[in-house]
Amino acid sequence: KMNRRLIETVQAIEPELLLLGHSELVHNETLKKLRRLRPNMKIAMWWIDWLDSFLVNRNFFIERIDLVDDFFLTTDPKALKDFLPLEKPLERIHFMPNICDASIDTGRAFDIEKPRHDLLFIGRKTGLRSDLIDFLRTQMTDTNLGIYGQDKKSLVQGQAYIDLLSNCKMAINFSRNNDIPLYSSDRQVHLAANGCLTFTPETPDMKSLFSEDEMVYFANFEELREKILYYQAHPDEGRRIAEAGHARAHRDYGCQKIVKNIIETLSN
C-alpha cells in the first residue's frame, strides 16, 4: 500500500527530485516504475548506518544504487568497492557527514557551571561498547559518570536527549565499529553541536571532519582515561576545544548546508 501511495503522490505533485532516506520498504520495482512515469525526475538516497547493516541487504542495495542518480552515505565511498561489485561510477556515490540542526541542537554544555554529569556515554552495551562501559565503571570511579541507553530504563530520546547532552561537560562518542574510514555514529556531531568536550576514537580520516583542536582523540581505553583526567584538571583547555567543536559542527555540518550540497550535487 505504501509503495502504491508513493507512486500516486509522485504522479500528483510531479516533483523534480525524489529524496529517499532509509527506504528499504520502497521496492526497487517502484523506483523502476517511477523512472518510466517521470524520466526527468532526479532520485537520490542517503544511508547513515555502518556498512555491516548496509550489507544485510546486500543484493537489494547492489540494484538500488544503480536505480538512483546519486547515493550519499556517512562512510568513505571508496570503502564500498571492497564490499559491492559496483557498476555505478564512484563519482555518483558521495560522502555525506552526519548533520546537526541549530533549531534542535541548542545546547552549550561548555557554559554549564553545575553539570548533571562530568562524563557522559550513551549507547547500547554490545561488542566493544561492552568493554568500554565496563572500563568506565571500574576505572573512572572518582568521576561523576552518566551511562545511558543500555535498557528501557536508561533510554533517552527527544528533548530529554538534547537536555542531557547540553548538561554534561564531557562525553564519549564510540561507535559499534571504529575502523571504517570517515564513519561514526551521529552522536559525534550531536555531542559537539550541543557543546560537549567530545572524546572519540582515532577512526581513519576522521580528523578531516573534526581536528584535534575541536575534538579529543584516543587510541585505546587507557589513553582515554588519561585524557579525561587531564581535561578534568584543565577545564579551560577543555572548554576551548568544546567551543571549537561546537562552532565547527554548526558551521560545516548544519542541515541547511548539507541539504544545499546534496541539491547542488544533483544539479551537476
Side-chain angles (χ1 to χ4, degrees):
K1 182 177 180 180
M2 182 272 292
N3 280 268
R4 185 171 70 251
R5 288 293 176 85
L6 175 59
I7 293 170
E8 292 170 356
T9 301
V10 169
Q11 288 177 302
I13 66 175
E14 299 183 351
E16 296 176 1
L17 168 62
L18 175 63
L19 186 57
L20 305 168
H22 279 229
S23 51
E24 299 94 317
L25 296 180
V26 176
H27 302 157
N28 286 334
E29 289 302 318
T30 297
L31 296 185
K32 292 177 183 178
K33 184 169 184 177
L34 290 175
R35 283 289 191 201
R36 294 193 296 270
L37 291 171
R38 290 197 52 78
N40 294 325
M41 178 180 69
K42 295 276 190 177
I43 302 177
M45 180 175 171
W46 77 83
W47 182 266
I48 64 169
D49 274 349
W50 62 331
L51 286 177
D52 281 24
S53 59
F54 184 100
L55 296 176
V56 167
N57 300 302
R58 186 174 183 273
N59 292 331
F60 173 86
F61 279 107
I62 289 174
E63 183 177 10
R64 170 60 57 89
I65 287 176
D66 286 328
L67 291 174
V68 301
D69 294 290
D70 288 83
F71 192 88
F72 300 84
L73 71 164
T74 57
T75 294
D76 187 341
K78 294 190 291 293
L80 278 185
K81 292 188 76 69
D82 296 331
F83 297 95
L84 300 178
L86 297 177
E87 295 182 8
K88 182 177 286 295
L90 271 179
E91 57 264 25
R92 306 313 297 175
I93 303 175
H94 315 277
F95 173 72
M96 181 187 82
N98 287 304
I99 66 175
C100 60
D101 185 335
S103 70
I104 296 173
D105 297 297
T106 57
R108 294 173 61 86
F110 45 76
D111 283 336
I112 298 298
E113 293 185 7
K114 295 182 179 180
R116 190 180 310 179
H117 300 291
D118 293 325
L119 180 65
L120 173 69
F121 175 72
I122 302 175
R124 298 185 186 278
K125 191 175 183 183
T126 58
L128 288 176
R129 283 179 176 170
S130 296
D131 297 336
L132 172 64
I133 291 170
D134 291 342
F135 181 86
L136 294 173
R137 284 176 170 159
T138 58
Q139 301 299 315
M140 303 300 299
T141 54
D142 292 333
T143 298
N144 176 4
L145 181 63
I147 299 180
Y148 295 81
Q150 289 77 59
D151 50 39
K152 289 183 179 180
K153 185 177 179 181
S154 66
L155 185 66
V156 283
Q157 297 176 303
Q159 188 58 41
Y161 171 70
I162 299 298
D163 289 343
L164 180 61
L165 306 189
S166 305
N167 284 279
C168 295
K169 285 285 189 182
M170 302 185 293
I172 301 170
N173 170 62
F174 197 82
S175 303
R176 287 175 290 177
N177 187 311
N178 298 294
D179 297 325
I180 302 171
L182 292 175
Y183 172 75
S184 170
S185 162
D186 56 2
R187 290 181 190 84
Q188 181 183 36
V189 74
H190 296 169
L191 298 175
N194 286 285
C196 298
L197 175 62
T198 304
F199 297 81
T200 194
E202 292 186 345
T203 302
D205 301 327
M206 190 59 69
K207 291 177 184 177
S208 64
L209 300 182
F210 287 96
S211 74
E212 292 182 278
D213 294 326
E214 299 161 336
M215 202 158 279
V216 180
Y217 289 88
F218 61 90
N220 53 58
F221 293 163
E222 189 54 44
E223 184 180 11
L224 169 64
R225 179 179 178 275
E226 291 173 0
K227 289 187 173 182
I228 289 169
L229 294 176
Y230 177 84
Y231 287 108
Q232 277 186 304
H234 300 82
D236 290 341
E237 290 185 42
R239 180 191 174 99
R240 283 195 292 272
I241 295 173
E243 285 190 277
H246 179 270
R248 179 71 180 275
H250 285 281
R251 182 182 70 244
D252 290 345
Y253 311 127
C255 57
Q256 291 182 338
K257 181 168 185 176
I258 300 305
V259 173
K260 181 174 183 287
N261 290 343
I262 289 174
I263 293 172
E264 290 177 347
T265 298
L266 285 162
S267 300
N268 292 334

